[in-house]
Amino acid sequence: MTDPSTRPGHDRLAGRYAIVVGGGSSAPGIGNGRATSLLLAREGAFVTVVDRDPSAAEETVAMIRASGGGAAAVGADATDDLGCRAAVERAAGPTGQIDVLVNNVGVIGEQAASAVDVDLAEWDATMRTNIRPYLLFPRHVIPRMSAGGAIVNVSSAAAIRGVERLQYATSKAALLGMTITMAAQHGPAGVRVNAVVPGAVWTPFVERRIEDDTVRAEQRARRRDRNMLRREGTAWDVAHAILFLVSDEARWITAQTLVVDGGETNMLTS
């Protein structure tokens, strides 16, 4: 797929201020957060890219600026309340407003475990990293949002199907419940909250976990063939779903979960 961020935009987000948490990339290339940052900027938003790695955020910002967009980078620990508040204050527009928030933070963890054998320290660390930012950023953003504000929480297909890591699946499923309740609580103020559930998307984060070239090629082919379309998903597919949900085209959509997986979670099994 060619880089969609280089295509002409349609000013769907012109004049709006957006935050993408986790908008850098853990390895060279285009991950979900970076692709989302690029697409929101292409559509006219001023994007503040927040990442725990300031250099990764700066790289995304450089790509946005090279395409003529507006952006700023903020290095922050998304699990720290004061750091989140400071990041939001830096991202606010001239009147103090924030229009769009995309939460894209998460770790998979190293341990494949069940409730019987999961390491409690890893459980606690996963919950802190995978859930806390989804509370802290809205905590400081929502008071700055007016009617029309939009939040998208990036979950995972692990939230809706059985996987080998209980701690990861549980944390990502929690985000879906959080999304619905936040939507109900803040809907009367005109703030929409939705979730995106990516499936087996091939990203730098996935690629860097597989060192052997032969194994990488085999796994990539297996992941592609597991979905109904027999087509590999990319970060751009996730980013386009997020762009839709934060745009005015989705003005009457809230408390929803949009699964972006080529139909994999509904595949027939023998």
Side-chain angles (χ1 to χ4, degrees):
M1 177 186 291
T2 58
D3 182 349
S5 69
T6 62
R7 302 172 189 163
H10 298 91
D11 293 330
R12 295 157 75 184
L13 303 176
R16 301 184 197 184
Y17 287 79
I19 299 175
V20 179
V21 186
S25 182
S26 58
I30 304 293
N32 295 337
R34 177 165 288 167
T36 300
S37 300
L38 290 164
L39 285 190
L40 299 189
R42 184 199 70 176
E43 292 298 329
F46 184 93
V47 180
T48 296
V49 180
V50 179
D51 202 279
R52 66 180 178 180
D53 181 355
S55 63
E58 290 285 1
E59 185 176 350
T60 301
V61 167
M63 296 170 75
I64 290 172
R65 290 175 177 168
S67 298
V74 176
D77 176 357
T79 67
D80 176 67
D81 186 44
L82 292 179
C84 293
R85 183 173 69 181
V88 170
E89 290 173 350
R90 290 182 60 183
T95 63
Q97 86 275 15
I98 301 289
D99 305 290
V100 172
L101 170 64
V102 178
N103 279 313
N104 175 58
V105 179
V107 293
I108 294 177
E110 296 302 322
Q111 184 189 25
S114 69
V116 176
D117 54 10
V118 66
D119 179 81
L120 293 181
E122 179 164 326
W123 173 276
D124 290 343
T126 302
M127 295 302 151
R128 179 179 176 84
T129 301
N130 288 8
I131 297 176
R132 189 173 169 88
Y134 292 78
L135 165 68
L136 295 181
F137 272 95
R139 183 183 186 91
H140 299 296
V141 165
I142 289 173
R144 296 176 177 270
M145 281 186 160
S146 58
I151 297 173
V152 174
N153 294 322
V154 179
S155 179
S156 165
I160 57 175
R161 68 171 187 237
V163 295
E164 61 183 4
R165 289 175 169 81
L166 177 68
Q167 65 276 33
Y168 180 66
T170 302
S171 67
K172 289 300 185 178
L175 299 181
L176 304 185
M178 180 182 287
T179 295
I180 293 170
T181 298
M182 287 174 57
Q185 291 173 335
H186 303 289
V191 174
R192 298 183 299 104
V193 188
N194 292 290
V196 165
V197 169
V201 177
W202 191 260
T203 65
F205 177 79
V206 175
E207 185 164 359
R208 74 168 185 167
R209 294 174 62 87
I210 309 170
E211 296 182 358
D212 184 272
D213 289 343
T214 301
V215 174
R216 184 186 300 120
E218 291 173 351
Q219 287 221 13
R220 192 167 186 175
R222 281 199 298 270
R223 288 163 64 95
R224 182 193 64 232
D225 292 341
R226 286 203 309 251
N227 68 69
M228 292 179 182
L229 299 174
R230 304 297 195 271
R231 183 182 303 156
E232 183 175 81
T234 75
W236 297 116
D237 296 306
V238 178
H240 277 293
I242 294 171
L243 173 61
F244 166 68
L245 287 173
V246 303
S247 73
D248 290 342
E249 285 92 335
R251 60 178 289 276
W252 209 45
I253 298 175
T254 195
Q256 300 303 307
T257 296
L258 178 54
V259 180
V260 185
D261 73 343
E264 180 180 349
T265 52
N266 290 315
M267 282 282 284
L268 294 172
T269 57
S270 57

